[in-house]
Amino acid sequence: MNKYFKTFLVGATFAATTLSSSFVSAQSAAIVCPGYKRGPTNIPSERTGKKVQKAFEAYNEDLVDEALSILYEIDTSQAFDRAFTDRFIGNLLATKSETGPKALEYLEKSVDSKALNDTEQSGTLRLIADLNMQEKRYDTAVKRYQQWMDFTCKEDADVYLRMGQALYETQNFAEMIAPLDKSIALDDKPNKNAYALKLTSFYSRKMYKETVEVAEEMVKIFPDNKANWTQLGFFYMLVEDYKKGLSTFEMAYNQGYLTKAAEIKALTQLYATNEIPYKAAVVFEKNVESGLIERDDKALTNLANSWHQAKNHLKAAAYYGEAAKMNSDPDLYRKQGTLLLTAEKYSAALTALQKALDEGADDRGRIHMAMMEANFYTGKYREAYKHVLEARKDKSTSRSARSWAPYIKEKAKNHGITL
């Protein structure tokens, strides 16, 4: 900003001392309105010019306060001299962060008098708008930017972007789109801030279809920006386009763009939603092992569920058991035991199922039925019969247990075992 202000000050000094051909040409370039004709160029009177020159010399030696003291002493009734001096004072005050509002007072007086030369009027209008942005006077900033465009007949990508930003700050989300579209159209190089603001406008108004369209455009224009990929993926999830969401997250993952636990979890969720549980389990397991995803009971339960859906019963059982040890959840022990039973790991199944009972599992009838099966298939008919009798006490398993009881008795009798 200081460099910007110094440019103004250098221009002011040139005007205060002499008119070069380059300055005259700058006067003309400040306005591009059709049919515009440059009027006579004013310069400060000799008395004012000398004081301005002296103030500028002090400024060049970083003596800003001394320069301001000289300018404050200028007393003139000439409109141009007054406007010129006020502009110079405003420029100097603008270089001091704590004097922004005071700088605006002087700068606004200088332009409101309409006594400045066109190039000075143009530059000061633009500076006033920028200072209002800096001071968070967003409504005034928008008006001043519009005045600058009306005065110069110029359109500028950065000005439109600043207007969009100011409208965002005042939550005028719908009004943001027009200046942002103009900024995008005028800019030689795509500006990610313009697109980000446009996306925010649509998202804030719950216009999710348009939000997705902007997010898609951002990925195409800024493909190396990691955040754009995950952002688009999450927006696809928001509109329940899970196939596109998965393809987006998968491409981001393959490029190494997913670096947060929440992003990996979103990818695995999308694999599961699209009925690809094996990939969900593999990706989730890899990132648990790497430490990106914390190895807590919740993560391990999710991992167990993924392997369960992928029909890898032994892996699922192992993770259910590890999670159960962390939180003593009887239902996790029950799931572990049931899967071990399915995998014909009867001894391990009985251990897990007994832990489920010891931890106070609610679904005791089903657990006793599972323990009955594990004992039955290993020839432990007395133990099987004990569990089937317990299962008969539970309404939910009573009927099934009654049908199993005589069968167990018969098998025991065939093996010479008395129950």
Side-chain angles (χ1 to χ4, degrees), residues 200-249:
T200 302
S201 168
F202 288 127
Y203 181 74
S204 298
R205 292 179 284 153
K206 299 183 179 180
M207 299 172 67
Y208 299 133
K209 176 178 176 291
E210 292 79 1
T211 302
V212 168
E213 289 172 356
V214 177
E216 288 173 335
E217 201 170 357
M218 291 175 74
V219 165
K220 291 176 184 176
I221 297 171
F222 311 104
D224 296 331
N225 189 308
K226 298 178 182 181
N228 289 344
W229 288 88
T230 53
Q231 179 177 254
L232 176 59
F234 281 122
F235 283 135
Y236 279 136
M237 292 176 74
L238 181 65
V239 297
E240 299 182 3
D241 192 336
Y242 300 119
K243 288 186 177 180
K244 285 187 178 180
L246 175 58
S247 64
T248 302
F249 267 106

Side-chain angles (χ1 to χ4, degrees), residues 282-300:
V282 169
V283 171
F284 202 93
E285 185 176 62
K286 179 181 178 181
N287 286 276
V288 168
E289 295 300 326
S290 72
L292 179 61
I293 296 175
E294 185 181 356
R295 196 184 189 91
D296 57 15
D297 60 320
K298 185 176 181 181
L300 292 171

Side-chain angles (χ1 to χ4, degrees), residues 240-351:
E240 299 182 3
D241 192 336
Y242 300 119
K243 288 186 177 180
K244 285 187 178 180
L246 175 58
S247 64
T248 302
F249 267 106
E250 197 168 38
M251 284 189 285
Y253 182 69
N254 292 335
Q255 295 176 84
Y257 289 168
L258 304 188
T259 57
K260 298 177 181 177
E263 296 166 351
I264 296 296
K265 289 176 182 178
L267 173 59
T268 57
Q269 180 184 334
L270 285 164
Y271 275 132
T273 303
N274 284 277
E275 299 180 351
I276 314 174
Y278 177 76
K279 281 193 173 183
V282 169
V283 171
F284 202 93
E285 185 176 62
K286 179 181 178 181
N287 286 276
V288 168
E289 295 300 326
S290 72
L292 179 61
I293 296 175
E294 185 181 356
R295 196 184 189 91
D296 57 15
D297 60 320
K298 185 176 181 181
L300 292 171
T301 301
N302 287 338
L303 185 51
N305 288 334
S306 294
W307 282 121
H308 193 171
Q309 291 172 22
K311 300 188 185 307
N312 190 322
H313 297 148
L314 288 178
K315 273 201 169 188
Y319 285 118
Y320 277 133
E322 190 177 346
K325 287 179 183 178
M326 292 182 177
N327 62 13
S328 301
D329 186 338
D331 192 54
L332 294 180
Y333 279 123
R334 181 190 62 77
K335 288 181 178 180
Q336 181 191 27
T338 302
L339 287 174
L340 288 169
L341 177 64
T342 303
E344 299 182 359
K345 302 294 182 181
Y346 300 121
S347 178
L350 286 167
T351 300

Side-chain angles (χ1 to χ4, degrees), residues 70-133:
I70 295 168
L71 293 171
Y72 287 144
E73 291 175 358
I74 295 176
D75 184 14
T76 177
S77 60
Q78 296 185 36
F80 177 75
D81 280 7
R82 184 70 269 155
F84 188 88
T85 301
D86 287 341
R87 174 175 176 267
F88 203 160
I89 292 171
N91 285 340
L92 285 176
L93 289 170
T95 65
K96 303 172 71 173
S97 59
E98 73 277 7
T99 55
K102 191 174 181 182
L104 280 168
E105 289 180 23
Y106 280 94
L107 292 170
E108 286 168 350
K109 281 195 297 181
S110 70
V111 296
D112 289 345
S113 69
K114 297 183 180 179
L116 293 171
N117 293 313
D118 288 345
T119 188
E120 296 155 355
Q121 184 80 356
S122 168
T124 308
L125 281 170
R126 176 77 177 265
L127 176 57
I128 287 171
D130 289 342
L131 278 175
N132 273 292
M133 282 291 289

Side-chain angles (χ1 to χ4, degrees), residues 149-163:
M149 287 191 287
D150 292 342
F151 181 75
T152 63
C153 295
K154 290 182 178 180
E155 290 188 305
D156 182 274
D158 184 59
V159 167
Y160 280 122
L161 177 59
R162 286 169 175 263
M163 291 175 75

